[in-house]
Amino acid sequence: AEEVGGGDKEVVREYFNNDGFQRWRRIYGDGEDVNKVQRDIRLGHSMTVENVMKMLLDEGPLAGVTVCDAGCGTGCLSIPLAKEGAVVAASDISAAMVAEAEKQARNELLGGKEELPTGLVLPRFEVSDLESLNGKYDTVVCLDVLIHYPQNKADAMIAHLASLAEKRLILSFAPKTFYYDLLKRVGELFPGPSKATRAYLHAEADVESALQKAGWRIRKRGLTTTQFYFSRIVEAIPA
Ligand code: SAM
């Protein structure tokens, strides 16, 4: 597993257990302690989560559907999925993220009570990089994690996620477009204190061909854009 992302992977793990954890917990939260750019990213990311929930619900109710949320972060997707009755396996390379996601899930789903409402189950949380995940799930979702993978590592990552999914795979990633490339370059010219990991953008055609190689085809596409946040969403099914 150490091969994936090369040395990047250790850097990513370290970042999301420390500075990155603090930063992204604020962005994905609802407190006032964010700046203008972070607030914009918060809005964009919440739109991605909404779009993905809509895509998932379009195919029918989620009660009893098994979902693997790979790279779950603070649980922004796992929690609404569990609220719909999905049986969620949530994992992340960062132990800090997993602990936070579990805390938020308990708060939101139990709401201080001892037992969950009938039909709902708490997500199962696990610290794991996504290359080490196994098992089979109706649906595998991986939101905004590809940004940590260069394209040459992304193919294997996508193939692995596809091997865990029986019915559908939903991925979101920062699309490699001219405008976003430019923004990223501007970001590199003026690195803020919060910038600690490399960001990799992906051409949609590259992601699509990785899916095709794994025997999957894209059925639906979505795009979320705000001023500072861009995310392409693809839903794939076995070809
Ligand atoms: N998917 C979540 C969401 O959309 O709310 C979190 C997105 S956050 C930008 C990226 C997350 O991916 C971080 O929590 C990070 O720890 C995790 N991550 C990065 N590389 C990973 C890997 N190789 N395996 C598992 N998780 C990883």
Side-chain angles (χ1 to χ4, degrees):
E2 296 315 313
E3 278 309 298
V4 179
D8 275 0
K9 192 155 164 176
E10 272 316 308
V11 174
V12 167
R13 189 199 315 270
E14 163 75 15
Y15 173 71
F16 280 108
N17 270 318
N18 297 288
D19 293 358
F21 170 65
Q22 298 301 342
R23 175 171 195 249
W24 288 96
R25 184 181 54 159
R26 282 200 302 277
I27 293 177
Y28 292 158
D30 55 11
E32 294 299 313
D33 49 354
V34 284
N35 63 34
K36 193 167 154 275
V37 174
Q38 291 172 336
R39 190 175 297 276
D40 178 84
I41 295 172
R42 173 189 283 176
L43 173 70
H45 177 261
S46 70
M47 287 160 64
T48 291
V49 171
E50 265 173 49
N51 286 340
V52 168
M53 286 301 295
K54 195 173 169 302
M55 259 185 191
L56 285 166
L57 285 162
D58 270 357
E59 302 301 316
L62 294 173
V65 172
T66 56
V67 183
C68 166
D69 182 9
C72 65
T74 59
C76 294
L77 181 72
S78 287
I79 295 168
L81 281 171
K83 284 183 178 167
E84 291 291 333
V87 180
V88 182
S91 58
D92 198 283
I93 195 172
S94 155
M97 284 290 186
V98 172
E100 177 67 20
E102 184 156 19
K103 187 177 100 186
Q104 292 193 17
R106 288 187 165 275
N107 282 346
E108 284 206 35
L109 292 161
L110 284 166
K113 301 213 175 65
E114 291 274 299
E115 277 181 43
L116 284 177
T118 320
L120 304 195
V121 275
L122 276 177
R124 179 166 58 77
F125 291 97
E126 186 189 3
V127 181
S128 170
D129 65 353
L130 54 85
E131 288 72 28
S132 312
L133 293 173
N134 47 42
K136 289 281 180 196
Y137 306 88
D138 294 322
T139 297
V140 175
V141 189
C142 185
L143 298 191
D144 294 1
V145 180
L146 262 170
I147 191 149
H148 306 298
Y149 285 73
Q151 188 60 46
N152 65 339
K153 308 281 183 192
D155 283 27
M157 182 266 213
I158 290 170
H160 182 63
L161 291 178
S163 77
L164 307 174
E166 287 185 320
K167 294 182 183 152
R168 61 188 164 182
L169 171 61
I170 295 183
L171 298 171
S172 75
F173 56 94
K176 196 170 201 164
T177 62
F178 177 72
Y179 179 47
Y180 193 60
D181 255 351
L182 195 71
L183 265 185
K184 187 185 160 241
R185 282 191 208 118
V186 172
E188 275 164 1
L189 287 175
F190 305 101
S194 52
K195 232 183 110 343
T197 53
R198 288 193 60 176
Y200 298 98
L201 311 177
H202 299 276
E204 195 173 336
D206 292 340
V207 172
E208 185 154 21
S209 88
L211 284 164
Q212 273 164 2
K213 270 189 261 164
W216 289 62
R217 70 178 173 84
I218 295 178
R219 167 167 73 177
K220 275 186 208 156
R221 293 166 213 261
L223 181 69
T224 311
T225 66
T226 61
Q227 212 178 345
F228 296 100
Y229 176 93
F230 291 74
S231 194
R232 167 61 82 193
I233 305 165
V234 296
E235 181 191 50
I237 56 173

